[in-house]
């Protein structure tokens, strides 16, 4: 329980150094719980239910695995194509290259499937 409390408190205090509105009362209001309940989470005397932990993670823009102590990584980086700005940010050259790479990949996959089929015959 203590790691959860330490991480939650650390996230809030980090935000509070930049903007004084990030009090326990403010965060509790954002989550929709009593300040005393939120304080118990920060003190590690109470564990937040998973739906509340999800809300806290969303508010602090971090992962629940980080808050719960399962990961040292505060927030996992995006790995989908939107990470690169999304299709509206791609240049014509990039789109042409991605399409060509996809065609090469599909051809390679088809050749490999045919090889496996030959070996099984």
């Amino acid at each position: 329980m203590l790691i959860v409390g330490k991480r939650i408190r650390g996230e809030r205090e980090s935000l509070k150094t930049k903007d004084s509105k990030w009090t326990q009362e403010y965060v509790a209001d954002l989550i929709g719980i009593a300040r005393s309940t939120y304080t118990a989470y920060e003190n590690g005397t109470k564990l937040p239910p998973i739906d509340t932990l999800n809300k806290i993670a969303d508010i602090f823009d971090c992962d629940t695995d980080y808050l719960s102590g399962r990961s040292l990584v505060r927030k996992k980086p995006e790995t989908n194509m939107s990470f690169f700005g999304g299709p509206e940010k791609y240049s014509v050259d990039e789109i042409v290259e991605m399409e060509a790479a996809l065609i090469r990949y599909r051809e390679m996959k088809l050749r490999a499937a045919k090889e496996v089929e030959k070996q099984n015959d």
Side-chain angles (χ1 to χ4, degrees), residues 4-5 14 20 28 38 49 77 82 88-89 94 96 98 113 117-118 120-121:
V4 176
S14 175
S20 62
Y38 179 78
S82 65
E88 63 277 355
K89 301 279 188 198
E94 289 173 322
V96 168
M98 285 187 276
E117 194 176 296
K118 270 188 203 178
N120 290 336
D121 287 342

Side-chain angles (χ1 to χ4, degrees), residues 1-2 5 12 24 29 36 46 52 55 57 62 86 103-104 108 111 116:
M1 272 196 289
L2 287 178
R12 184 186 60 78
Q24 288 181 338
D29 287 344
S36 58
K46 236 178 149 178
T52 303
K55 288 178 186 176
C62 64
I103 289 168
R104 287 190 305 271
M108 177 195 69
R111 281 193 308 270
V116 169

Side-chain angles (χ1 to χ4, degrees), residues 105-116:
Y105 171 76
R106 288 179 176 165
E107 289 170 350
M108 177 195 69
K109 195 172 165 184
L110 186 59
R111 281 193 308 270
K114 287 180 180 178
E115 283 295 318
V116 169

Side-chain angles (χ1 to χ4, degrees), residues 21-105:
K21 74 178 178 188
W22 287 95
T23 62
Q24 288 181 338
E25 184 76 34
Y26 179 73
V27 176
D29 287 344
L30 290 174
I31 299 166
I33 60 173
R35 187 205 47 80
S36 58
T37 302
Y38 179 78
T39 300
Y41 298 157
E42 278 197 8
N43 290 336
T45 56
K46 236 178 149 178
L47 275 176
I50 192 65
D51 60 322
T52 303
L53 189 64
N54 287 336
K55 288 178 186 176
I56 294 169
D58 289 345
I59 289 167
F60 294 148
D61 193 30
C62 64
D63 290 336
T64 55
D65 279 354
Y66 172 76
L67 290 179
S68 65
R70 290 185 54 175
S71 173
L72 296 175
V73 178
R74 190 180 171 284
K75 184 167 180 159
K76 294 177 186 92
E78 295 287 330
T79 56
N80 60 24
M81 294 304 283
S82 65
F83 178 78
F84 299 103
E88 63 277 355
K89 301 279 188 198
Y90 301 152
S91 70
V92 173
D93 291 344
E94 289 173 322
I95 292 170
V96 168
E97 184 58 40
M98 285 187 276
E99 288 173 346
L102 183 57
I103 289 168
R104 287 190 305 271
Y105 171 76

